[in-house]
Amino acid sequence: MVTAIVFVKADVARIHEVAETIAALDGVSEVYSITGDHDLMVMVRVRRHEELNDVIPGRINKVPGIAGTETHIAFRTYSQLDLEQAFSLGLPDAD
């Protein structure tokens, strides 16, 4: 699993619309409204590194109302959340 964190600057009058549009895109797992230099933080999770190109410049950056983005790639996850289970194909566990 590859995770990217995308910080988005949006037209202030369109933040809600931009967030909802991004949240509906394939590959986007979460969108947060944030404070600071950016308006939104987008969590992108894909199976292969190459898919980031389809999601970030291919879809997110083309959403009307976006003024700019800044992307960071995660190297390692230090969370108790089992992301692989979240992205499973729905197959039963082999318990």
Side-chain angles (χ1 to χ4, degrees):
M1 184 66 51
V2 180
T3 301
I5 300 97
V6 182
F7 293 98
V8 176
K9 288 186 181 185
D11 175 355
V12 71
R14 299 180 76 180
I15 292 172
H16 182 74
E17 172 189 346
V18 168
E20 286 190 343
T21 301
I22 293 172
L25 297 174
D26 287 340
V28 172
S29 62
E30 301 129 83
V31 178
Y32 299 95
S33 175
I34 60 172
T35 62
D37 293 334
H38 296 87
D39 302 300
L40 302 169
M41 184 178 74
V42 179
M43 301 300 293
V44 174
R45 292 190 172 93
V46 293
R47 292 196 180 277
R48 296 182 357 255
H49 187 266
E50 295 79 17
E51 294 175 65
L52 292 173
N53 185 59
D54 296 332
V55 178
I56 300 168
R59 293 187 211 129
I60 292 175
N61 289 353
K62 294 180 180 177
V63 171
I66 290 182
T69 62
E70 181 179 312
T71 301
H72 299 264
I73 307 297
F75 292 124
R76 182 177 292 163
T77 300
Y78 293 96
S79 172
Q80 297 299 319
L81 177 64
D82 184 0
L83 293 177
E84 288 301 322
Q85 183 179 16
F87 285 91
S88 72
L89 298 174
L91 301 175
D93 291 335
D95 293 334

